[in-house]
């Protein structure tokens, strides 16, 4: 792995409480495409980083919004892109790499072209692999069982590639089984 990737990983580990989800997203990007661009890998490694910055943030859970709400997802994606842009500029990264990374992070929830779709799919796999206990632990105080079920459904249903669906299927089934135990 190159130096910028390692520096970015160190920043994420130091900054974000759920760094493992980001590191596993980068792992799944590599798995789905063994020759990813540097921008795609760095986007995977940082795509949710805005949640680490509390000032000016929005609550992680909101009773009023749906998981697929376009405006909320766009706000979250663009806010993450802003922090990553600042970090990469400070590291004097190549401006072209910065632009590509920002564009990918800005579209990580919905995809839209090859690399962005791959990032979205890797994000979903990593979510189902890493974040399930965290979401279940929020029931009933912050989320209802139905809301968590909707989140799991959303994260699974948005996956586009056949290969990613095959990887995610057992993780999704286990997530639902764990949810139904409570
Ligand atoms: Fe996200
Ligand atoms: Fe994510």
């Amino acid at each position: 792995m190159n130096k910028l990737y390692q520096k970015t990983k160190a920043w994420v580990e130091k900054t974000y409480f759920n760094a493992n989800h980001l590191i596993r997203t980068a792992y799944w990007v590599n798995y789905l495409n063994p020759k990813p661009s540097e921008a795609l890998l760095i986007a995977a490694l940082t795509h949710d980083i805005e949640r680490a910055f509390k000032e000016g943030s929005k609550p992680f859970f909101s009773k009023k919004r749906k998981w697929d709400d376009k405006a909320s997802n766009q706000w979250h994606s663009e806010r993450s892109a802003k922090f990553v842009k600042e970090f990469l500029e400070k590291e004097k990264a190549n401006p072209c790499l910065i632009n590509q990374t920002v564009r990918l992070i800005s579209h990580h929830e919905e995809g839209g072209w090859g690399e962005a779709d791959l990032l979205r799919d890797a994000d979903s796999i990593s979510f189902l692999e890493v974040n399930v206990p965290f979401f279940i632990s929020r029931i009933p105080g912050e989320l209802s069982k139905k809301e968590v079920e909707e989140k799991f459904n959303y994260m699974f249903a948005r996956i586009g590639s056949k290969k990613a669906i095959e990887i995610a299927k057992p993780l999704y089934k286990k997530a639902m089984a764990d949810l139904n135990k409570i």
Side-chain angles (χ1 to χ4, degrees):
M1 251 345 117
N2 77 22
K3 213 168 147 197
L4 183 63
Y5 183 88
Q6 290 305 340
K7 275 193 171 176
T8 309
K9 187 164 174 260
W11 173 59
V12 166
E13 283 172 332
K14 186 179 77 186
T15 312
Y16 188 39
F17 65 93
N18 193 11
N20 197 32
H21 164 59
L22 301 180
I23 290 164
R24 293 299 292 173
T25 304
Y27 168 87
W28 288 113
V29 157
N30 260 315
Y31 189 93
L32 294 169
N33 174 4
K35 285 203 160 84
S37 69
E38 189 180 11
L40 179 55
L41 271 185
I42 291 180
L45 193 54
T46 56
H47 67 273
D48 287 332
I49 200 74
E50 65 94 4
R51 294 194 174 118
F53 299 93
K54 299 285 174 229
E55 206 185 311
S57 69
K58 287 183 181 171
F60 194 33
F61 304 119
S62 167
K63 295 274 177 205
K64 280 180 225 123
R65 80 164 150 86
K66 288 275 173 206
W67 299 112
D68 62 352
D69 180 72
K70 264 198 175 12
S72 298
N73 283 340
Q74 197 176 341
W75 184 90
H76 154 68
S77 302
E78 285 174 3
R79 188 165 185 264
S80 287
K82 179 183 88 86
F83 286 111
V84 176
K85 185 171 190 274
E86 283 168 13
F87 170 79
L88 293 174
E89 281 173 351
K90 215 174 72 213
E91 293 299 328
K92 304 201 179 339
N94 177 318
C96 183
L97 170 78
I98 297 177
N99 285 343
Q100 286 173 353
T101 308
V102 161
R103 188 162 170 252
L104 282 165
I105 296 172
S106 301
H107 293 84
H108 79 264
E109 296 285 346
E110 283 158 13
W113 67 98
E115 281 199 321
D117 291 350
L118 204 143
L119 175 58
R120 176 203 59 210
D121 290 0
D123 181 23
S124 275
I125 296 172
S126 170
F127 174 92
L128 292 165
E129 178 188 46
V130 174
N131 288 358
V132 166
F134 171 67
F135 272 74
I136 291 178
S137 76
R138 261 61 196 171
I139 305 169
E142 287 166 282
L143 290 167
S144 69
K145 193 170 171 179
K146 189 167 176 289
E147 284 165 328
V148 172
E149 186 183 338
E150 283 169 2
K151 175 70 175 176
F152 293 172
N153 285 338
Y154 165 65
M155 293 306 279
F156 182 63
R158 70 179 196 172
I159 302 173
S161 87
K162 263 193 188 153
K163 193 174 171 186
I165 291 170
E166 284 314 306
I167 297 164
K169 211 181 270 172
L171 298 169
Y172 171 71
K173 278 190 183 163
K174 177 160 188 326
M176 287 310 212
D178 289 349
L179 181 63
N180 286 320
K181 276 184 208 145
I182 62 156

